[in-house]
């Protein structure tokens, strides 16, 4: 392949595959469009958790232990905020804080989130294009058995404990893709779209729910392939399996295939789920079975290459 | 004495005497009004260097090595800002940053600088009243042989290297004292005003230049006593001596007495300057000669008590 690839990504799992794709593709060939439904303002600072996870990961600066945040992080700021009686439920590391303060500054001066992301990622040496799904605010809201919660209240403050009945994405109806995502969607050289192994409900749904992205996916002039975030009935990381169960879906790679339904051409599943391949194929979704758990950068590169080869086969 | 005391303070030297006064007086008896001419916005954050130095010092959290900043400070944020290509000439420590971020938040929500200062100092356990000289912006501007410079550009970025011709305080003509300073000025129980050993040109001048403060000092219904920041012809800390020389003043405690002129009733000078006492007295300014260099908290307490006793004698 010599054309371009669009990756849709959320946080940690998405970032790992995005890094593999970045290693596999020349910078001009990859756009990573990132969920911003989790974004929120905290302590007056604009926090973009997924954008930053992808940025730090592609820059080689992600915390290897957590997958999010910055390697070598320190927490003096948070301690001092606690001493001053401020909110400490959402933890901002001292290094990470530089990203938020500089982003605040750029946005206050009129930059778009895309422009701020370009500047930050560029400063960290990221050569591939990382773009927010939209420069307009789309905000994930969680309907739970304890009422309506803003996403980070549900996700971080309440640790996903309330039972979910639905996710809503405020502002999505009128949201437009960011310029970088629009350009990727319209690129005549686009060869495939890859839905990274991110949470389908809270990371992927906001991106593919933007009307212009939904149209692109429904038209499907290029293959759309997803990598299952569910392996052996468990989420590699995060609450995807718990959400699936609460929403009445089967917590398996087959459940993922059913969730994406006719909107994807192919699904990459893990070897441990090989027995599900016939049922997934019966949904008219092509299946590719490979190791999908990314424990190392080499794992990410191998999975990225496998995914690209699979997508090329579906053209 | 059982009445109240008003201290006017800038940064490190002022904070040290303020701490001594705080140790000597019950909380209800002391108001420390602090210079805000050095305040500026940096990286979108409202920085109040002198207010914070006084606050950290009275809270027992000042960095003992520098006199400013917070003890046990770390610098990860600043390193990360540098990595991201941001400005690093004004160094914000990780712990100190909590103060600025929380102050930004309070100001954005409509709090005055006085209210934000009350909240921050209260959270750090400061029981004495620390108030900004004004809740309105007064900004020190420096006229130099290299042109006009905002104060922090001159003071931090250029390390006071340009030769000063004058200091201006933008906004001072229309500035009013903060509510706390107004209350202290109008307090019928006020027994004395103490001008702390802060830089007379850039720390004290903005406070006493606010019209209502100038009127109070000129009326002088209570003694106004200053502590000389110049000892043995040198500033204990900072560029006061360099400024005096560039402005054509004699860099000595006598120069300080001439600078304050008829606006003070008494001047506390150091033992090493005892020989200047007759010349100062000849200016119709009472003189009190004691050790004034504050190397320890005990030094601060002793100087505070000496200053209060001296002021009481002048009533």
């Amino acid at each position: 392949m010599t054309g371009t690839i669009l990756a849709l990504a959320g946080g940690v799992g998405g970032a790992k595959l995005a890094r593999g794709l970045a290693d596999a593709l020349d910078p001009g060939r990859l756009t990573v469009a990132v969920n911003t439904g989790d974004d929120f303002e905290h302590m007056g600072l604009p926090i973009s958790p997924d954008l930053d996870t992808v940025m730090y990961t592609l820059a080689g600066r992600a915390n290897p232990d957590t997958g999010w945040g910055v390697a070598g992080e320190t927490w003096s700021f948070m301690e001092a905020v606690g001493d001053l009686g401020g909110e400490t439920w959402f933890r901002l590391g001292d290094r990470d804080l530089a990203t938020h303060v500089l982003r605040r500054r750029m946005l206050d001066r009129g930059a778009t989130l895309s422009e701020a992301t370009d500047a930050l990622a560029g400063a960290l040496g990221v050569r591939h294009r990382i773009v927010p799904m939209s420069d307009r605010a789309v905000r994930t809201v969680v309907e739970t058995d304890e009422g309506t919660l803003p996403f980070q209240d549900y996700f971080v403050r309440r640790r996903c404990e309330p039972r979910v009945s639905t996710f809503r994405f405020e502002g999505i109806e009128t949201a437009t893709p960011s310029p970088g995502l629009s350009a990727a969607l319209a690129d005549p050289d686009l060869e495939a779209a890859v839905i990274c192994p991110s949470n389908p409900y809270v990371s992927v749904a906001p991106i593919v729910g933007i009307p212009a992205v939904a149209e692109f996916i429904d038209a499907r002039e290029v293959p759309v392939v997803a990598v299952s975030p569910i392996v052996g009935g468990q989420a590699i990381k995060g609450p995807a399996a718990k959400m699936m169960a609460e929403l009445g879906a089967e917590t398996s790679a087959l459940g993922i295939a059913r969730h994406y339904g006719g909107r994807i051409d192919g699904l990459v599943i893990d070897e441990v789920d090989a027995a599900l391949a016939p049922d997934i194929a019966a949904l008219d979704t092509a299946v590719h079975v490979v190791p999908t758990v990314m424990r190392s950068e080499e794992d990410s590169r191998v999975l990225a290459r496998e995914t690209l080869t699979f997508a090329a086969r579906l053209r």
Side-chain angles (χ1 to χ4, degrees), chain A:
Chain A
M1 294 200 295
T2 55
T4 59
I5 299 293
L6 170 63
L8 308 183
V12 179
K16 285 183 175 176
L17 184 58
R19 175 154 191 178
L21 292 166
D23 285 347
L25 297 165
D26 290 334
R29 293 186 58 201
L30 177 66
T31 297
V32 186
V34 181
N35 171 45
T36 56
D38 304 2
D39 290 16
F40 75 129
E41 187 166 301
H42 187 58
M43 301 177 74
L45 297 169
I47 314 293
S48 294
D50 288 354
L51 269 176
D52 291 348
T53 296
V54 171
M55 178 174 79
Y56 295 146
T57 303
L58 262 64
R61 293 183 181 232
N63 181 333
D65 300 326
T66 57
W68 54 269
V70 189
E73 189 58 286
T74 63
W75 300 94
S76 299
F77 170 76
M78 221 63 235
E79 284 176 23
V81 167
D83 289 350
L84 288 166
E87 291 181 80
T88 55
W89 62 273
F90 191 92
R91 295 182 63 70
L92 295 170
D94 299 329
R95 291 181 198 283
D96 184 42
L97 200 56
T99 298
H100 310 306
V101 168
L102 292 178
R103 182 161 42 216
R104 165 87 290 156
R105 193 105 184 93
M106 288 186 270
L107 297 178
D108 281 351
R109 290 177 169 177
T112 62
L113 183 57
S114 290
E115 290 164 347
T117 304
D118 269 352
L120 293 166
L124 292 181
V126 176
R127 294 165 60 234
H128 295 75
R129 191 109 202 255
I130 300 172
V131 300
M133 64 189 203
S134 179
D135 283 330
R136 303 208 195 165
V138 174
R139 293 293 170 262
T140 302
V141 171
V142 192
E143 300 292 352
T144 77
D145 58 352
E146 301 182 30
T148 304
L149 295 172
F151 181 74
Q152 297 294 351
D153 274 1
Y154 162 78
F155 193 72
V156 177
R157 201 201 292 253
R158 298 298 316 281
R159 298 167 192 218
C160 302
E161 284 164 9
R163 191 179 169 82
V164 172
S165 57
T166 189
F167 296 97
R168 290 188 293 108
F169 309 106
E170 291 184 349
I172 201 163
E173 298 79 6
T174 55
T176 50
S178 65
L181 175 51
S182 286
L185 294 173
D187 186 347
D189 292 331
L190 185 67
E191 294 196 335
V194 174
I195 298 176
C196 292
S198 294
N199 186 306
Y201 299 104
V202 297
S203 296
V204 178
I207 312 177
V208 300
I210 294 173
V213 182
E215 281 170 34
F216 163 84
I217 290 193
D218 290 340
R220 274 229 299 300
E221 295 178 5
V222 301
V224 176
V225 298
V227 177
S228 175
I230 300 289
V231 173
Q234 300 289 325
I236 298 295
K237 181 165 172 56
K242 176 176 187 288
M243 291 174 186
M244 290 183 88
E246 290 172 5
L247 293 167
E250 185 188 323
T251 56
S252 71
L254 177 59
I256 295 292
R258 289 201 178 111
H259 171 79
Y260 285 130
R263 307 191 77 196
I264 60 172
D265 298 290
L267 183 65
V268 179
I269 66 172
D270 193 81
E271 291 175 327
V272 302
D273 296 317
L276 299 171
D279 288 343
I280 295 170
L283 298 171
D284 211 20
T285 298
V287 191
H288 191 52
V289 182
V290 290
T292 64
V293 182
M294 296 173 279
R295 292 190 185 86
S296 68
E297 291 175 24
E298 179 58 16
D299 289 346
S300 295
R301 281 191 285 272
V302 169
L303 180 58
R305 281 191 222 108
E306 288 286 345
T307 303
L308 292 172
T309 305
F310 176 48
R313 245 177 33 222
L314 299 178
R315 280 172 67 87

